[in-house]
Amino acid sequence: MTLHPTRPAGHALVEALVAQGVHTAFGVPGESFLAVLDGFHEHRDRIRFIACRQEGGAAFMAEAQGKLSGRPGICFVTRGPGATNASIGIHTAFQDSTPMVVFVGQVASDQRDREAFQELDYRQFFSPGTLGMAKWVAEIQDPDRVPEYVARAFHTALQGRPGPVVLALPEDMLTRTTAAPVLPLVKPATAWPAPGALRDLRRMLLEATRPLVIAGGSGWDAEGCAALQRFAENWQLPVACGFRFQDTFDNRHPQYAGDVGIGINPRLAARVREADLIVALGIRLGEMTTGGYTLLTPPRPAQALVHVHAGPEELGRVYAADLLLQAAPSAAAKALEALTAPPDLPWRAWTDAAAADYAANHEAPAVAPLDLAVVMKTVQRLAPADTVYTNGAGNYSGWLHRYVRYHGLQHHGRTQLAPTSGAMGYGLPAAVAAALLHPERTVVNVAGDGDFLMTGQELATATGYGAKKLVSIVVDNGSYGTIRMHQEREYPGRVSGSDLFNPDFAALARAFGWHAATVAATSEFEPAFAEALAAGRPALLHLKLDTDVITSRTTLSAIRSAAQQRGR
């Protein structure tokens, strides 16, 4: 085996990332990994380091990178406070099943276990496991094993159910030299469904009268999404998408039934309950996709259930399904499209009705003075077809999920970046990452006022690294809206802790070098958005919304009135 020239382990680490096809890493610099930063300088013609303003933002950017590319997003943070700040993005990657590798600085080896400055035991803190924050946590002690650990991290992050890996880097290890060679590009092993299981699935389809496919999760590629569409067409199946995985299936397709998540169309919720067969393809069937475990009741749902998932630990964890298939979702879809359908299917009217329900859900009564339904429809009408949409957590996201029709992944790649973990502050860093990774594509971030200010400092990252085709729409209702909604439902009229005191978001954006405008009425939005798209630099639109307009379906006044009538 030919050895590489001797170089610091920090440089070898950067070379190992380049060998894995990494061209961008996100992070916040720290003295604990100066040798790695020097490695980025040494190889600056092949890989870049994006310095973010807070580790939570950096981890969100790396998580978005993993969603967009299907390969692990890369994040570097310093020890102690850097790692704890980054934990929100690691938790998001775990719950969203996103491949990611986080490198964390560690105190020098001769200082371990003394509670040295900013010391943490990362194996305990990130606690790998099915309810932890990472798939694998390790510490590299030997510089000669750096390429081995990096390759294993990529294998672990990609295989089975994708997820995050954390590698700790002792400061002194990174400065020691090594001649270890880098290892080749990691290509994950892919599990395919067994032929016998496919025969069983076909039999269950033939016995059904009201089937429904719910697709989503990570691990999809363009070919897999196209195969899913052909499978649905062959069998004339209605297809819904799991929570915040709406770009798994083309929302414009005549068999699309809508998204199964927060703010679900009530007609779709009823359809899930009425189905006699659910084919859950690639999704975890978590709390959000199952309506708090009520659309499908555990442990044995009323509907016949086929659950296809890449992770064996997920199958049977909550639901005792009638058929379990461990398979990567794209591989499963490619196998399913080969199943021969009979010439006559008894559920064509069922499928047509599901699509009609979705179309009807796209309409809504007008709201004045600012109508977010019109805003979202205007965004989609004016923005290019390959636009990437991002959001964090909050009631404002309901308008984005309901009124934007996402294209299937096979057309433009990922077009929806949103946290199924429900992490606030995700949307802006994800948008910055998308704009830097794909400068040719338009990126639209929709954020609430509380959500935005959790990571708003990443406006500086977008400016500093030259993001241009990025528009952030900040919906300002002066409230932590989701919390206020629950307060009015449980304690009507007793507001506590959910009011917000906001800056002038447009002025704030201008201070960071962004184009900005304030919008208070529906008629003002279209010209403001058109100008933002043409600005040639990042743009922010500050939308002033009445606090009473709390969701895309109801108001605080209506919620409060209903709660008072119930006697709360």
Side-chain angles (χ1 to χ4, degrees), residues 257 265 267-268 271 352-362:
N265 179 358
R267 292 183 180 179
L268 178 56
R271 192 168 300 279
D352 292 342
D357 288 345
Y358 170 69
N361 191 52
H362 208 62

Side-chain angles (χ1 to χ4, degrees), residues 369-371 374-375 378 517-531 541-544:
L370 181 60
D371 192 329
V374 175
V375 165
T378 302
T518 300
V519 174
T522 306
S523 60
E524 299 170 0
F525 180 77
E526 182 167 336
F529 184 65
E531 187 175 350
L541 299 181
H542 179 188
L543 274 57
K544 302 283 286 185

Side-chain angles (χ1 to χ4, degrees), residues 418-434:
T420 68
S421 69
M424 292 185 71
Y426 176 89
L428 178 66
V432 173

Side-chain angles (χ1 to χ4, degrees), residues 428 458-460 462-463 470 472 509-510 512-516 537-540:
L428 178 66
E458 301 303 344
L459 292 170
T463 304
L470 166 58
S472 184
R510 292 188 194 102
F512 283 95
W514 286 44
H515 169 85
R537 54 181 169 139
L540 182 145

